[in-house]
Amino acid sequence: MTELHCERAFGFRICLERGVLDPASPALARAIGDRRALIVTTPTVAMHYGTAFRRACAAAGVDVALAVRSLDEQHKTMDAVMGVAALARSVGIGRRDVLIGFGGGVTTDVVSLAASLYRRGVACIRMPTSLVGQVDAGIGLKSAVNAGGVKSALGRFDPPELVLEDPTWLTTLPARATRSGFAEIVKIAMVRDAALFELVELVGCSLVASQFTKPEAVVLPLLERSIELMVTELRQNPFEECLERLVDFGHTFSPALEIESAHVLTHGEAVAIDMAISTEIAVILGHVTSAEADRIVAVLHALGLPTTTAWATTPLLAAAADAAVAHRGGALNLVVPTGIGTAGFVRERDEIGSDLLDFSLAAVTARTERVSGRPAHVPARAL
Ligand SMILES: NC(=O)c1ccc[n+]([C@@H]2O[C@H](COP(=O)([O-])OP(=O)(O)OC[C@H]3O[C@@H](n4cnc5c(N)ncnc54)[C@H](O)[C@@H]3O)[C@@H](O)[C@H]2O)c1
Protein backbone atom coordinates (compact mmCIF):
# COMPACT_ATOMS: atom_id res chain seq x y z
CA MET A 1 0.00 0.00 0.00
CA THR A 2 1.27 3.46 -0.82
CA GLU A 3 0.65 6.24 1.58
CA LEU A 4 0.56 9.91 0.82
CA HIS A 5 1.52 11.86 3.90
CA CYS A 6 0.53 15.51 3.89
CA GLU A 7 1.22 18.05 6.56
CA ARG A 8 0.08 21.61 6.63
CA ALA A 9 1.91 24.18 8.68
CA PHE A 10 0.16 27.39 9.47
CA GLY A 11 0.58 30.58 11.38
CA PHE A 12 -1.01 33.97 11.26
CA ARG A 13 -0.51 37.42 12.68
CA ILE A 14 -2.88 39.36 14.87
CA CYS A 15 -2.15 43.09 14.69
CA LEU A 16 -3.81 45.34 17.22
CA GLU A 17 -3.07 48.97 16.51
CA ARG A 18 -4.70 52.36 16.46
CA GLY A 19 -5.22 54.20 13.17
CA VAL A 20 -5.55 51.25 10.74
CA LEU A 21 -7.77 53.41 8.49
CA ASP A 22 -5.59 56.48 8.79
CA PRO A 23 -4.55 57.37 5.20
CA ALA A 24 -0.95 57.60 6.43
CA SER A 25 -1.04 54.06 7.88
CA PRO A 26 0.76 51.35 5.89
CA ALA A 27 -1.56 48.67 7.36
CA LEU A 28 -3.89 48.16 4.38
CA ALA A 29 -1.17 48.39 1.73
CA ARG A 30 0.86 45.77 3.63
CA ALA A 31 -2.14 43.54 4.18
CA ILE A 32 -3.55 43.55 0.66
CA GLY A 33 -0.49 44.24 -1.49
CA ASP A 34 -1.14 43.96 -5.20
CA ARG A 35 -4.01 41.49 -4.87
CA ARG A 36 -7.63 42.14 -5.66
CA ALA A 37 -9.71 42.23 -2.51
CA LEU A 38 -13.39 41.93 -1.74
CA ILE A 39 -14.25 43.47 1.58
CA VAL A 40 -17.61 42.59 3.08
CA THR A 41 -19.10 44.68 5.83
CA THR A 42 -22.46 45.48 7.45
CA PRO A 43 -24.58 48.64 7.02
CA THR A 44 -23.69 49.86 10.53
CA VAL A 45 -19.96 49.38 10.11
CA ALA A 46 -20.13 50.94 6.62
CA MET A 47 -21.98 53.94 8.06
CA HIS A 48 -19.23 54.50 10.64
CA TYR A 49 -16.15 53.51 8.68
CA GLY A 50 -17.07 53.23 4.97
CA THR A 51 -15.77 56.68 4.07
CA ALA A 52 -12.55 56.28 6.08
CA PHE A 53 -12.07 52.86 4.55
CA ARG A 54 -12.44 54.12 0.97
CA ARG A 55 -10.08 57.00 1.71
CA ALA A 56 -7.53 54.64 3.25
CA CYS A 57 -7.75 52.29 0.25
CA ALA A 58 -7.23 55.18 -2.15
CA ALA A 59 -4.20 56.37 -0.17
CA ALA A 60 -2.80 52.83 -0.05
CA GLY A 61 -3.42 52.31 -3.78
CA VAL A 62 -5.09 48.94 -3.20
CA ASP A 63 -7.60 47.29 -5.49
CA VAL A 64 -10.70 46.75 -3.36
CA ALA A 65 -14.39 46.11 -3.98
CA LEU A 66 -16.58 46.99 -1.00
CA ALA A 67 -19.84 45.13 -0.42
CA VAL A 68 -22.36 45.96 2.30
CA ARG A 69 -24.55 43.08 3.50
CA SER A 70 -26.96 42.65 6.42
CA LEU A 71 -25.02 40.05 8.34
CA ASP A 72 -26.66 39.46 11.70
CA GLU A 73 -27.30 36.29 13.66
CA GLN A 74 -30.52 35.57 11.71
CA HIS A 75 -28.53 35.80 8.48
CA LYS A 76 -25.60 33.70 9.65
CA THR A 77 -26.50 30.98 7.16
CA MET A 78 -25.10 29.07 4.21
CA ASP A 79 -27.16 31.42 2.02
CA ALA A 80 -25.06 34.30 3.31
CA VAL A 81 -21.88 32.33 2.56
CA MET A 82 -23.12 31.58 -0.95
CA GLY A 83 -23.96 35.27 -1.33
CA VAL A 84 -20.38 36.25 -0.48
CA ALA A 85 -19.03 33.61 -2.87
CA ALA A 86 -21.29 34.93 -5.65
CA LEU A 87 -20.07 38.45 -4.94
CA ALA A 88 -16.46 37.30 -5.04
CA ARG A 89 -17.07 35.77 -8.43
CA SER A 90 -18.84 38.84 -9.74
CA VAL A 91 -15.95 41.15 -8.78
CA GLY A 92 -13.34 38.78 -10.20
CA ILE A 93 -11.65 37.39 -7.08
CA GLY A 94 -9.08 34.83 -8.27
CA ARG A 95 -7.10 32.12 -6.49
CA ARG A 96 -4.41 34.52 -5.31
CA ASP A 97 -6.80 37.23 -4.20
CA VAL A 98 -8.29 37.91 -0.81
CA LEU A 99 -11.62 38.16 0.99
CA ILE A 100 -11.85 40.52 3.94
CA GLY A 101 -14.49 40.41 6.66
CA PHE A 102 -14.87 43.86 8.26
CA GLY A 103 -17.41 43.72 11.07
CA GLY A 104 -18.60 41.74 14.07
CA GLY A 105 -18.28 38.03 14.75
CA VAL A 106 -21.09 37.19 12.35
CA THR A 107 -19.35 39.00 9.48
CA THR A 108 -15.95 37.43 10.13
CA ASP A 109 -17.54 33.97 10.53
CA VAL A 110 -19.49 34.22 7.26
CA VAL A 111 -16.62 35.74 5.25
CA SER A 112 -14.07 33.27 6.68
CA LEU A 113 -16.26 30.32 5.75
CA ALA A 114 -16.86 31.76 2.27
CA ALA A 115 -13.09 32.29 1.82
CA SER A 116 -12.36 28.71 2.85
CA LEU A 117 -14.82 27.35 0.26
CA TYR A 118 -14.51 29.79 -2.64
CA ARG A 119 -12.26 28.27 -5.35
CA ARG A 120 -11.41 25.63 -2.67
CA GLY A 121 -9.96 28.30 -0.48
CA VAL A 122 -8.60 31.80 -0.91
CA ALA A 123 -6.81 34.04 1.57
CA CYS A 124 -8.90 35.65 4.25
CA ILE A 125 -8.19 38.76 6.29
CA ARG A 126 -10.36 39.49 9.29
CA MET A 127 -10.91 43.02 10.50
CA PRO A 128 -13.06 42.50 13.60
CA THR A 129 -14.87 45.64 14.73
CA SER A 130 -16.82 44.33 17.73
CA LEU A 131 -15.44 43.40 21.12
CA VAL A 132 -16.52 39.76 20.68
CA GLY A 133 -14.69 39.83 17.36
CA GLN A 134 -11.52 41.45 18.67
CA VAL A 135 -10.99 39.15 21.65
CA ASP A 136 -12.57 35.93 20.41
CA ALA A 137 -14.46 35.31 17.17
CA GLY A 138 -11.98 37.10 14.93
CA ILE A 139 -8.76 35.64 16.29
CA GLY A 140 -9.25 31.87 16.14
CA LEU A 141 -9.28 29.38 13.30
CA LYS A 142 -12.95 28.56 13.38
CA SER A 143 -15.77 29.79 11.22
CA ALA A 144 -19.34 28.59 11.20
CA VAL A 145 -22.92 29.33 10.27
CA ASN A 146 -26.17 28.23 11.88
CA ALA A 147 -28.15 25.49 10.15
CA GLY A 148 -31.17 23.32 10.86
CA GLY A 149 -31.94 25.25 14.04
CA VAL A 150 -28.50 24.45 15.44
CA LYS A 151 -26.04 27.16 16.39
CA SER A 152 -22.76 27.05 14.41
CA ALA A 153 -23.76 23.69 12.90
CA LEU A 154 -21.68 24.02 9.71
CA GLY A 155 -18.18 25.33 9.72
CA ARG A 156 -14.49 24.82 9.28
CA PHE A 157 -11.09 25.24 10.88
CA ASP A 158 -9.16 27.50 8.58
CA PRO A 159 -6.59 30.01 9.74
CA PRO A 160 -6.97 33.51 8.40
CA GLU A 161 -3.95 35.07 6.79
CA LEU A 162 -4.07 38.10 9.04
CA VAL A 163 -6.22 39.67 11.73
CA LEU A 164 -6.15 43.44 11.72
CA GLU A 165 -7.85 45.20 14.58
CA ASP A 166 -8.13 48.75 15.79
CA PRO A 167 -9.36 49.45 19.33
CA THR A 168 -10.84 52.78 18.24
CA TRP A 169 -13.48 50.87 16.25
CA LEU A 170 -14.96 49.85 19.59
CA THR A 171 -15.92 53.47 20.31
CA THR A 172 -18.95 53.25 18.00
CA LEU A 173 -20.13 49.89 19.29
CA PRO A 174 -23.59 49.91 20.89
CA ALA A 175 -23.37 49.44 24.67
CA ARG A 176 -25.16 46.10 24.44
CA ALA A 177 -22.55 44.77 22.02
CA THR A 178 -19.74 46.03 24.27
CA ARG A 179 -21.30 44.22 27.23
CA SER A 180 -21.61 41.06 25.16
CA GLY A 181 -17.93 41.27 24.30
CA PHE A 182 -17.08 41.55 27.97
CA ALA A 183 -18.66 38.13 28.49
CA GLU A 184 -15.80 36.62 26.45
CA ILE A 185 -13.22 38.62 28.43
CA VAL A 186 -14.73 37.45 31.72
CA LYS A 187 -14.67 33.91 30.31
CA ILE A 188 -10.97 33.88 29.54
CA ALA A 189 -10.13 35.73 32.76
CA MET A 190 -12.13 33.26 34.83
CA VAL A 191 -10.36 30.21 33.45
CA ARG A 192 -6.85 31.62 33.10
CA ASP A 193 -6.07 34.90 34.81
CA ALA A 194 -7.23 36.21 38.19
CA ALA A 195 -5.44 39.54 37.57
CA LEU A 196 -7.42 40.14 34.39
CA PHE A 197 -10.61 39.29 36.28
CA GLU A 198 -9.70 41.86 38.94
CA LEU A 199 -9.01 44.42 36.22
CA VAL A 200 -12.47 43.81 34.76
CA GLU A 201 -13.99 44.18 38.24
CA LEU A 202 -12.16 47.49 38.54
CA VAL A 203 -12.65 49.13 35.13
CA GLY A 204 -15.22 47.05 33.22
CA CYS A 205 -18.16 49.36 34.01
CA SER A 206 -16.19 52.44 33.09
CA LEU A 207 -15.15 50.91 29.77
CA VAL A 208 -18.76 50.00 28.97
CA ALA A 209 -20.01 53.47 29.94
CA SER A 210 -17.28 55.30 28.02
CA GLN A 211 -17.56 53.19 24.83
CA PHE A 212 -14.20 51.66 25.49
CA THR A 213 -12.32 54.91 25.89
CA LYS A 214 -11.86 55.27 29.66
CA PRO A 215 -9.63 54.64 31.49
CA GLU A 216 -7.58 55.15 28.34
CA ALA A 217 -4.42 53.60 29.75
CA VAL A 218 -6.23 50.30 30.23
CA VAL A 219 -7.79 49.88 26.77
CA LEU A 220 -4.81 48.38 24.93
CA PRO A 221 -3.40 46.30 27.82
CA LEU A 222 -6.82 44.79 28.53
CA LEU A 223 -7.37 43.85 24.89
CA GLU A 224 -3.80 42.60 24.49
CA ARG A 225 -4.01 40.41 27.60
CA SER A 226 -7.38 38.95 26.56
CA ILE A 227 -6.07 38.18 23.07
CA GLU A 228 -2.81 36.74 24.41
CA LEU A 229 -4.65 34.39 26.77
CA MET A 230 -6.99 33.26 24.01
CA VAL A 231 -4.12 32.69 21.59
CA THR A 232 -2.20 30.71 24.22
CA GLU A 233 -5.18 28.38 24.61
CA LEU A 234 -5.71 28.06 20.85
CA ARG A 235 -2.02 27.51 20.10
CA GLN A 236 -1.99 24.33 22.19
CA ASN A 237 -5.00 22.87 20.42
CA PRO A 238 -5.72 24.74 17.18
CA PHE A 239 -7.84 22.06 15.53
CA GLU A 240 -9.50 20.94 18.76
CA GLU A 241 -8.08 17.43 18.68
CA CYS A 242 -8.34 17.67 22.45
CA LEU A 243 -11.98 18.19 23.35
CA GLU A 244 -11.25 19.42 26.86
CA ARG A 245 -11.05 23.15 26.20
CA LEU A 246 -11.04 25.77 28.92
CA VAL A 247 -12.25 28.32 26.38
CA ASP A 248 -15.53 26.40 26.26
CA PHE A 249 -16.43 27.96 29.62
CA GLY A 250 -19.88 29.45 29.04
CA HIS A 251 -20.28 27.57 25.76
CA THR A 252 -22.14 24.41 26.79
CA PHE A 253 -25.67 25.69 27.45
CA SER A 254 -25.33 28.99 25.57
CA PRO A 255 -25.82 27.68 22.00
CA ALA A 256 -29.22 26.24 22.99
CA LEU A 257 -30.12 29.47 24.82
CA GLU A 258 -29.31 31.55 21.76
CA ILE A 259 -31.46 29.35 19.53
CA GLU A 260 -34.30 29.02 22.10
CA SER A 261 -34.49 32.80 22.43
CA ALA A 262 -34.59 33.08 18.62
CA HIS A 263 -31.41 35.17 19.01
CA VAL A 264 -33.10 37.73 21.25
CA LEU A 265 -30.19 36.89 23.56
CA THR A 266 -26.89 37.90 22.00
CA HIS A 267 -24.00 35.44 21.95
CA GLY A 268 -22.31 37.19 24.87
CA GLU A 269 -25.50 37.34 26.93
CA ALA A 270 -26.08 33.63 26.45
CA VAL A 271 -22.44 32.98 27.41
CA ALA A 272 -22.88 35.06 30.57
CA ILE A 273 -25.98 33.07 31.62
CA ASP A 274 -24.15 29.81 30.87
CA MET A 275 -21.15 30.92 32.97
CA ALA A 276 -23.47 31.72 35.90
CA ILE A 277 -25.21 28.33 35.64
CA SER A 278 -21.90 26.46 35.23
CA THR A 279 -20.56 28.32 38.25
CA GLU A 280 -23.59 27.30 40.30
CA ILE A 281 -23.00 23.68 39.28
CA ALA A 282 -19.39 24.11 40.42
CA VAL A 283 -20.58 25.43 43.80
CA ILE A 284 -22.90 22.47 44.25
CA LEU A 285 -20.16 20.00 43.29
CA GLY A 286 -17.73 21.72 45.66
CA HIS A 287 -15.26 23.04 43.04
CA VAL A 288 -15.66 26.72 43.85
CA THR A 289 -16.77 28.65 46.91
CA SER A 290 -20.01 30.54 47.17
CA ALA A 291 -18.03 33.75 47.79
CA GLU A 292 -16.16 33.25 44.49
CA ALA A 293 -19.47 32.58 42.73
CA ASP A 294 -20.76 35.86 44.17
CA ARG A 295 -17.85 37.69 42.55
CA ILE A 296 -18.57 36.09 39.18
CA VAL A 297 -22.26 36.94 39.27
CA ALA A 298 -21.46 40.42 40.61
CA VAL A 299 -19.03 41.25 37.81
CA LEU A 300 -21.47 40.02 35.15
CA HIS A 301 -24.26 42.03 36.75
CA ALA A 302 -22.07 45.15 37.01
CA LEU A 303 -21.23 44.86 33.31
CA GLY A 304 -24.96 44.76 32.54
CA LEU A 305 -24.96 41.12 31.49
CA PRO A 306 -27.80 38.75 32.41
CA THR A 307 -27.14 35.72 34.60
CA THR A 308 -30.65 34.25 34.46
CA THR A 309 -33.35 33.95 31.86
CA ALA A 310 -36.71 32.25 31.63
CA TRP A 311 -35.39 30.51 28.50
CA ALA A 312 -33.08 28.46 30.72
CA THR A 313 -35.18 25.49 31.82
CA THR A 314 -34.02 22.11 33.09
CA PRO A 315 -35.12 20.25 29.90
CA LEU A 316 -33.30 22.82 27.74
CA LEU A 317 -30.10 22.55 29.79
CA ALA A 318 -30.33 18.73 29.72
CA ALA A 319 -30.75 18.75 25.93
CA ALA A 320 -27.83 21.19 25.60
CA ALA A 321 -25.66 18.91 27.76
CA ASP A 322 -26.59 15.94 25.54
CA ALA A 323 -25.69 17.97 22.45
CA ALA A 324 -22.35 18.90 24.06
CA VAL A 325 -21.60 15.21 24.69
CA ALA A 326 -22.27 14.45 21.01
CA HIS A 327 -20.08 17.42 19.98
CA ARG A 328 -17.25 16.60 22.41
CA GLY A 329 -16.60 12.99 21.49
CA GLY A 330 -18.78 11.37 24.14
CA ALA A 331 -17.70 13.42 27.16
CA LEU A 332 -19.56 16.36 28.64
CA ASN A 333 -16.43 18.39 29.41
CA LEU A 334 -18.43 21.12 31.09
CA VAL A 335 -15.97 23.82 32.10
CA VAL A 336 -16.44 24.90 35.69
CA PRO A 337 -14.46 27.39 37.77
CA THR A 338 -12.26 26.01 40.51
CA GLY A 339 -11.45 29.51 41.77
CA ILE A 340 -11.01 32.93 40.19
CA GLY A 341 -8.62 32.41 37.28
CA THR A 342 -8.63 28.62 37.32
CA ALA A 343 -11.05 26.03 35.99
CA GLY A 344 -11.56 22.31 35.49
CA PHE A 345 -14.01 19.99 33.81
CA VAL A 346 -17.11 18.02 34.74
CA ARG A 347 -16.44 15.20 32.33
CA GLU A 348 -19.33 12.81 32.74
CA ARG A 349 -22.85 13.62 31.64
CA ASP A 350 -24.38 11.69 34.54
CA GLU A 351 -22.69 14.03 37.03
CA ILE A 352 -25.29 16.65 36.14
CA GLY A 353 -28.68 15.00 36.43
CA SER A 354 -32.00 16.82 36.24
CA ASP A 355 -32.15 17.39 40.00
CA LEU A 356 -28.78 19.11 39.98
CA LEU A 357 -29.75 21.24 36.96
CA ASP A 358 -33.02 22.18 38.68
CA PHE A 359 -31.17 23.09 41.82
CA SER A 360 -28.53 25.13 40.03
CA LEU A 361 -31.19 27.14 38.17
CA ALA A 362 -32.93 27.94 41.46
CA ALA A 363 -29.59 28.75 43.09
CA VAL A 364 -28.42 31.07 40.32
CA THR A 365 -31.73 32.94 40.50
CA ALA A 366 -31.37 33.34 44.27
CA ARG A 367 -27.73 34.42 43.95
CA THR A 368 -28.54 36.91 41.19
CA GLU A 369 -31.33 38.45 43.27
CA ARG A 370 -29.11 38.69 46.33
CA VAL A 371 -26.10 40.11 44.48
CA SER A 372 -28.04 42.49 42.23
CA GLY A 373 -30.81 43.37 44.66
CA ARG A 374 -33.55 42.94 42.07
CA PRO A 375 -35.80 40.17 40.68
CA ALA A 376 -33.77 37.85 38.50
CA HIS A 377 -35.86 37.07 35.43
CA VAL A 378 -36.96 40.58 34.52
CA PRO A 379 -33.74 41.95 32.98
CA ALA A 380 -33.10 39.04 30.64
CA ARG A 381 -36.65 39.05 29.23
CA ALA A 382 -36.57 42.81 28.88
CA LEU A 383 -33.34 42.82 26.88
N1 LIG B 1 -15.64 31.70 15.13
C1 LIG B 1 -15.50 31.70 16.44
O1 LIG B 1 -14.58 31.09 16.99
C2 LIG B 1 -16.46 32.50 17.28
C3 LIG B 1 -16.17 32.77 18.62
C4 LIG B 1 -17.04 33.57 19.35
C5 LIG B 1 -18.19 34.07 18.76
N2 LIG B 1 -18.46 33.76 17.46
C6 LIG B 1 -19.67 34.27 16.81
O2 LIG B 1 -19.64 35.69 16.78
C7 LIG B 1 -20.98 36.16 16.73
C8 LIG B 1 -21.15 37.29 17.71
O3 LIG B 1 -20.29 38.34 17.34
P1 LIG B 1 -20.72 39.87 17.60
O4 LIG B 1 -21.13 40.01 19.00
O5 LIG B 1 -19.63 40.70 17.07
O6 LIG B 1 -22.06 39.99 16.77
P2 LIG B 1 -22.40 40.73 15.39
O7 LIG B 1 -21.45 40.38 14.34
O8 LIG B 1 -23.84 40.44 15.16
O9 LIG B 1 -22.20 42.26 15.77
C9 LIG B 1 -22.99 42.87 16.77
C10 LIG B 1 -23.57 44.19 16.31
O10 LIG B 1 -22.58 45.19 16.39
C11 LIG B 1 -22.49 45.92 15.17
N3 LIG B 1 -21.13 46.39 15.08
C12 LIG B 1 -20.02 45.65 14.96
N4 LIG B 1 -18.93 46.42 15.04
C13 LIG B 1 -19.36 47.68 15.21
C14 LIG B 1 -18.72 48.93 15.41
N5 LIG B 1 -17.39 49.03 15.47
N6 LIG B 1 -19.50 50.03 15.55
C15 LIG B 1 -20.84 49.95 15.54
N7 LIG B 1 -21.50 48.79 15.40
C16 LIG B 1 -20.77 47.68 15.23
C17 LIG B 1 -22.91 44.94 14.12
O11 LIG B 1 -23.35 45.57 12.95
C18 LIG B 1 -24.04 44.20 14.87
O12 LIG B 1 -25.23 44.92 14.79
C19 LIG B 1 -21.88 34.98 17.03
O13 LIG B 1 -22.48 34.54 15.84
C20 LIG B 1 -20.93 33.94 17.56
O14 LIG B 1 -21.36 32.63 17.30
C21 LIG B 1 -17.61 33.01 16.71
Side-chain angles (χ1 to χ4, degrees):
M1 192 179 88
T2 344
E3 221 176 80
L4 178 65
H5 191 70
C6 305
E7 275 181 17
R8 183 177 170 202
F10 78 93
F12 60 94
R13 282 179 304 129
I14 301 169
C15 300
L16 175 70
E17 59 193 54
R18 293 182 199 272
V20 166
L21 299 183
D22 187 324
S25 165
L28 285 183
R30 275 197 202 131
I32 299 169
D34 61 2
R35 298 176 293 182
R36 177 130 178 84
L38 168 66
I39 179 155
V40 181
T41 192
T42 61
T44 320
V45 175
M47 178 182 80
H48 290 295
Y49 302 105
T51 305
F53 182 79
R54 284 193 187 88
R55 211 181 297 131
C57 286
V62 287
D63 178 17
V64 167
L66 176 68
V68 180
R69 289 288 176 276
S70 291
L71 291 172
D72 55 26
E73 198 62 51
Q74 309 281 355
H75 295 92
K76 195 176 148 173
T77 59
M78 275 313 285
D79 277 353
V81 172
M82 306 269 280
V84 172
L87 262 172
R89 194 177 166 78
S90 73
V91 300
I93 297 295
R95 295 279 296 271
R96 294 188 200 293
D97 295 329
V98 58
L99 297 192
I100 304 177
F102 183 36
V106 172
T107 305
T108 53
D109 265 6
V110 167
V111 174
S112 300
L113 188 52
S116 75
L117 295 172
Y118 179 72
R119 296 186 189 275
R120 298 186 179 81
V122 295
C124 179
I125 295 174
R126 298 184 189 156
M127 294 172 61
T129 57
S130 70
L131 188 53
V132 169
Q134 296 202 351
V135 300
D136 196 316
I139 61 176
L141 277 73
K142 288 198 279 193
S143 60
V145 292
N146 308 326
V150 180
K151 172 82 185 155
S152 302
L154 297 174
R156 284 181 55 88
F157 290 90
D158 261 307
E161 180 181 272
L162 171 72
V163 182
L164 202 49
E165 12 187 273
D166 186 331
T168 63
W169 296 336
L170 302 177
T171 59
T172 52
L173 205 56
R176 189 177 176 194
T178 307
R179 291 189 198 111
S180 295
F182 258 111
E184 300 287 6
I185 296 178
V186 170
K187 170 194 83 175
I188 198 74
M190 268 305 300
V191 300
R192 285 291 315 274
D193 189 348
L196 179 62
F197 186 88
E198 281 158 23
L199 187 62
V200 174
E201 285 181 315
L202 206 62
V203 299
C205 290
S206 166
L207 284 167
V208 171
S210 67
Q211 293 189 286
F212 236 84
T213 56
K214 287 190 186 98
E216 197 191 340
V218 166
V219 172
L220 270 180
L222 182 117
L223 290 173
E224 278 164 1
R225 183 65 184 145
S226 305
I227 292 167
E228 186 189 329
L229 288 165
M230 192 67 192
V231 167
T232 306
E233 287 298 308
L234 297 178
R235 193 183 279 134
Q236 295 162 13
N237 187 23
F239 296 101
E240 299 185 15
E241 273 133 9
C242 171
L243 296 169
E244 286 182 4
R245 296 177 358 111
L246 289 178
V247 291
D248 280 341
F249 183 42
H251 289 72
T252 296
F253 307 119
S254 58
L257 287 171
E258 279 186 73
I259 296 286
E260 187 65 15
S261 75
H263 302 295
V264 170
L265 290 173
T266 65
H267 180 71
E269 288 160 358
V271 169
I273 294 164
D274 180 322
M275 290 192 288
I277 296 168
S278 301
T279 298
E280 218 55 68
I281 292 172
V283 174
I284 296 165
L285 296 178
H287 297 303
V288 75
T289 66
S290 187
E292 287 162 337
D294 275 0
R295 278 180 73 188
I296 297 166
V297 168
V299 82
L300 294 172
H301 171 69
L303 290 165
L305 284 162
T307 48
T308 62
T309 169
W311 282 299
T313 60
T314 298
L316 183 104
L317 299 190
D322 291 339
V325 170
H327 189 61
R328 295 176 185 158
L332 175 64
N333 293 342
L334 174 73
V335 186
V336 288
T338 52
I340 303 290
T342 57
F345 297 92
V346 175
R347 293 190 172 80
E348 300 304 325
R349 172 66 179 86
D350 56 16
E351 285 183 73
I352 57 159
S354 291
D355 287 353
L356 186 137
L357 289 174
D358 254 349
F359 192 66
S360 32
L361 281 177
V364 78
T365 301
R367 189 181 302 281
T368 300
E369 291 185 345
R370 182 165 52 72
V371 168
S372 69
R374 62 179 198 218
H377 280 315
V378 178
R381 276 293 194 191
L383 284 166

